[in-house]
Amino acid sequence: MIDQSDIPYLPRGVRVHFDKVRDGWVLLAPERAITLDGIGHAILSEIDGERTFQAITDILSAKYNAPAEDIAKDTAGFLGALKNRRFLEVRT
C-alpha cells in the first residue's frame, strides 16, 4: 500500500515512452513493457520523484474535477500494482 506521504518514482531503467509502432504510451523496463491507457499515462505523468502521493492525487483531482478520495483509491491501486511488479519504487 502507498501512504499519502510516500514519494513514488520510476527506478533506473524504467521510463514512460511513446511507442510509434503501437501508437500509444508504454512503460518500459529492461526486457519488459506495459501498454498504458489514458488514465495510467495521466498518473505516471505526474510522478517526478519529488511529489508525494498526496500531492499527485490532489493534482489529478483538480485536473479532472473528480473526488480526491476516488482518485487516491484508484491511483494507489495502480501504483501498488506497478510497485509489486518492480516498475515503481517509493521513498518514505
Side-chain angles (χ1 to χ4, degrees), residues 53-72:
F53 176 73
Q54 180 65 54
I56 291 167
T57 57
D58 290 344
I59 289 167
L60 292 169
S61 176
K63 188 183 243 183
Y64 296 102
N65 194 27
E69 301 81 29
D70 293 344
I71 295 287

Side-chain angles (χ1 to χ4, degrees), residues 20-89:
K20 292 178 185 175
V21 173
R22 292 183 178 113
D23 192 33
W25 291 98
V26 294
L27 182 60
L28 297 175
E31 300 185 28
R32 300 177 290 161
I34 295 176
T35 302
L36 298 171
D37 62 9
I39 295 169
H41 181 253
I43 293 168
L44 291 176
S45 294
E46 299 302 332
I47 292 176
D48 63 2
E50 304 217 358
R51 291 185 187 121
T52 63
F53 176 73
Q54 180 65 54
I56 291 167
T57 57
D58 290 344
I59 289 167
L60 292 169
S61 176
K63 188 183 243 183
Y64 296 102
N65 194 27
E69 301 81 29
D70 293 344
I71 295 287
K73 180 181 170 190
D74 294 343
T75 302
F78 176 70
L79 295 181
L82 290 180
K83 184 179 174 209
N84 290 341
R85 295 178 69 188
R86 303 182 62 104
F87 279 93
L88 182 88
E89 293 184 10

